[in-house]
Amino acid sequence: MPVTPRLSRKLHQALGEEAAEDLVNWIQQLDAQRADVATRADLAELRQEMEVGFAELRQEMAHLEARLERRIADLIKWSFVFWVGAVGAIAMLAGVLR
C-alpha cells in the first residue's frame, strides 16, 4: 500500500519528522517485500506451466522419434529391395550376354 501525501503529513504531525520518515520507509519496504512475494508466486506458477509444457514437448519428441525410426526402417527396406533387384538384373544380363 503506497503512503499517500495526506497520511505522510498526518504522521509527520503526530510523530515528528524523523519518526514519521522511519515509519514511511518501513511501510514502503513492507510494500516492496509484498510485491516480491507476489512475484515469487508468479514465478512458481510459471515454473509449473513450463514443467507441463516440457512434459508435453518430451512426449511429442518421443512420438516424432518413433515416426523417424519407422521411416528409416522403410528406407532401408526399400533400398535393400532396389539393390537386390539391381544385382539380379545385372546377373541375368551377364548370363544372357555370355
Side-chain angles (χ1 to χ4, degrees), residues 11-78:
L11 288 173
H12 282 273
Q13 289 172 354
L15 301 175
E17 288 294 320
E18 190 175 323
E21 198 63 39
D22 289 342
L23 185 59
V24 168
N25 288 338
W26 180 70
I27 291 172
Q28 289 173 343
Q29 286 176 351
L30 287 178
D31 190 40
Q33 287 176 351
R34 185 185 57 82
D36 188 34
V37 169
T39 302
R40 288 182 188 163
D42 292 342
L43 289 175
E45 181 181 338
L46 178 62
R47 182 178 293 124
Q48 181 66 27
E49 289 174 8
M50 288 178 65
E51 287 175 1
V52 169
F54 285 139
E56 291 173 358
L57 182 61
R58 284 186 194 103
Q59 283 181 328
E60 184 65 26
M61 287 177 63
H63 177 71
L64 290 174
E65 185 178 0
R67 286 181 57 198
L68 180 63
E69 287 175 358
R70 283 195 303 267
R71 297 291 184 231
I72 290 173
D74 287 345
L75 181 63
I76 291 172
K77 176 179 68 175
W78 286 108

